[in-house]
Amino acid sequence: MNRFDDLLAHAATVKDRHILDLFAADPARAEAFSAEFGSWFFDFSKTNIDAAGLKLLVDLAEKTGVAARRDAMFAGEKINETEGRAVLHAAWRNIYDPYSVDGEDVMPALRDTIGRMQNFADAVREGRFTGQGGRITDVVNIGIGGSDLGPVMASIACTSFADGPRLHFISNVDGAHAHDVLSGLNPETTLVIVASKTFTTIETMTNAETARAWMAAKVANPAAQFAAISTATDKTAAFGIPAERVFGFEDWVGGRYSVWSPIGLSLMIGIGPGYFAEFHAGAAAMDRHFREAPLAQNLPVLLALVGLWHNQVLGHATRAVLPYEQRLARLPAYLQQLEMESNGKRVSMDGADLPYHSGPVVWGEPGTNGQHAFYQLIHQGTRVVPCEFILAARGREPYLEHQHLLLVANCLAQSEALLRGRSLAEATALMAKKGLTGAELERQARHRVFPGNRPSTTLLIEILTPFTLGGIVALYEHRVFVEGVILGINSFDQWGVELGKELALALAPVLEGTSEGAGKDGSTLGLAARIRAARA
Ligand code: F6P
């Protein structure tokens, strides 16, 4: 017995049905299985969800207390129970709303920090804050995970709005990353932002030391060209960054939810405080929709329910996110952390084993590049991969609108091909037209069959702007939240990343040859010995 039993029973009766039959039976299906949010349209009609299934899904959201949990989150309750923390990242994009934690109004400090960020960003952009060689030309954000992916993803998405210094990002502890970024820059006109919620993350602190040494070789006072973003202001001071360039935030903002907070400073410098405020406003609009729309018309809830139907009910283990928008190229990577670090959990809130699967594997690439890489498997592989297309009706370059039309046509064609497929009879007719006959005709035709009946959804937005980007990111944040509530897990901790970190620290002396590595397995010791020999 588990909370998906009714849905599993329903799915057993409909799983072999063709989605095209649902369209044939209901001419209004496209409208009925879709939802609007302003000018956006979310179409989930190309899935095998019918009216009875949708009702069971919405009932599940009601029974599992999604609305109450959502309200508890916005009320500042400590819903991150394993860490004893509130979850209030939304406060950073709703800066005139009241939010408190433990009865304390958290907004005055937050507004003060936003004001300081805006002043600093303007000073950098206007050349009032300079490097030791003049106006800042380049900003390097050093961070990893949530302290990197949000600003990277958003800065690419906002390319057409960028009019500040060039932005660069260093995340990997692989020295090649720091080398490749820094070697192209002038230390005298570069600002380095060290972004780390904890200010202890080894990758970030190592890269920060490297950047400081790189700068010290050329400028007299490297600390004067450093800024820091963290919840640990004692540690930023110990690193030598003056308090006026430290932008703090509280532990009730999770790393992967932190792009709205000072972690977004590099983006703010790149696009300016005005567009950054629009990024916030787009997310705030989605927050209002999430808090106010009925569950059955609520976009984050619907995305979550479709995801649960595909993963926990039908058993499809992965989900492809396919933005037909080049500037959302890093959105799949961003969503990987958001979804998989949040909902990749094997126990429920009370510590019991989950009787169903945790969140899906999320992956993807922008269209049309993906079409020429992995869509083969999506169309003809033996496993079903539910696809989520994201599409803007208009491109950002009017003079290239003819290319945008081609992009849109490709996106619609892919979801149509997944739905419709190509039967053996159709493939045979095609091959016969080419003059094939007999056994060869049959063999060649079989290779050209597409099973079809493969599910996809399409999120159609009007055009990509900082405002719509904010809405998209908040949409996915809330979707992850709803999935987590229905699964009964804590979406806001990440204990699963700890073990590897601990073991990496213990392995460093083994690689250096100062520890025997007692108790380690033969494979790890064997690899370490070969690496030691190669480095000797
Ligand atoms: O990978 C674990 C994690 O804690 C993420 O949740 C976080 O985004 C990342 O490391 C970076 O952490 P910090 O901002 O504290 O350096």
Side-chain angles (χ1 to χ4, degrees), residues 152-376:
V152 175
M153 177 276 294
S155 68
I156 297 171
C158 295
T159 299
S160 9
F161 298 85
D163 57 359
R166 291 178 291 263
L167 304 185
H168 311 267
F169 297 88
I170 301 175
S171 53
N172 200 327
V173 78
D174 184 341
H177 202 178
H179 172 271
D180 292 354
V181 170
L182 297 177
S183 59
L185 302 181
N186 175 1
E188 294 176 311
T189 57
T190 297
L191 168 71
V192 175
I193 300 175
V194 185
S196 174
K197 180 177 164 179
T198 54
F199 231 70
T200 56
T201 304
I202 195 146
E203 291 91 336
T204 300
M205 299 325 296
T206 306
N207 280 320
E209 298 283 2
T210 299
R212 187 162 57 183
W214 166 80
M215 199 172 272
K218 232 4 199 335
V219 306
N221 181 10
Q225 283 174 229
F226 269 65
I229 299 159
S230 185
T231 57
T233 41
D234 53 330
K235 295 193 174 73
T236 59
F239 190 83
I241 300 177
E244 74 258 23
R245 284 193 307 284
V246 174
F247 302 91
F249 62 108
E250 302 297 326
D251 68 5
W252 37 259
V253 178
R256 54 195 173 275
Y257 299 87
S258 63
V259 65
W260 323 103
S261 77
I263 293 290
L265 180 63
S266 54
L267 176 66
M268 188 191 265
I269 294 173
I271 63 173
Y275 283 130
F276 193 81
E278 287 191 22
F279 176 56
H280 273 173
M286 181 55 71
D287 291 337
R288 277 194 299 283
H289 168 77
F290 179 49
R291 296 177 78 170
E292 291 165 10
L295 296 185
Q297 282 119 47
N298 195 306
L299 241 56
V301 174
L302 288 171
L303 258 79
L305 295 178
V306 172
L308 293 163
W309 169 260
H310 286 143
N311 182 9
Q312 281 72 19
V313 180
L314 297 184
H316 307 318
T318 86
R319 171 194 298 161
V321 180
L322 307 165
Y324 276 68
E325 173 63 65
Q326 179 60 24
R327 292 190 179 118
L328 292 180
R330 291 297 281 164
L331 184 69
Y334 175 82
L335 294 180
Q336 272 175 349
Q337 187 196 16
L338 184 66
E339 300 238 12
M340 293 164 74
E341 198 166 81
S342 297
N343 288 342
K345 315 278 164 70
R346 54 178 289 284
V347 296
S348 59
M349 200 64 107
D350 58 9
D353 287 345
L354 280 192
Y356 32 76
H357 283 298
S358 59
V361 175
V362 175
W363 58 287
E365 279 286 322
T368 57
N369 293 12
Q371 288 174 210
H372 295 274
F374 53 79
Y375 278 40
Q376 164 65 41

Side-chain angles (χ1 to χ4, degrees), residues 39 80 318 354 415 424:
S39 62
N80 174 357
T318 86
L354 280 192
S415 65
L424 182 59

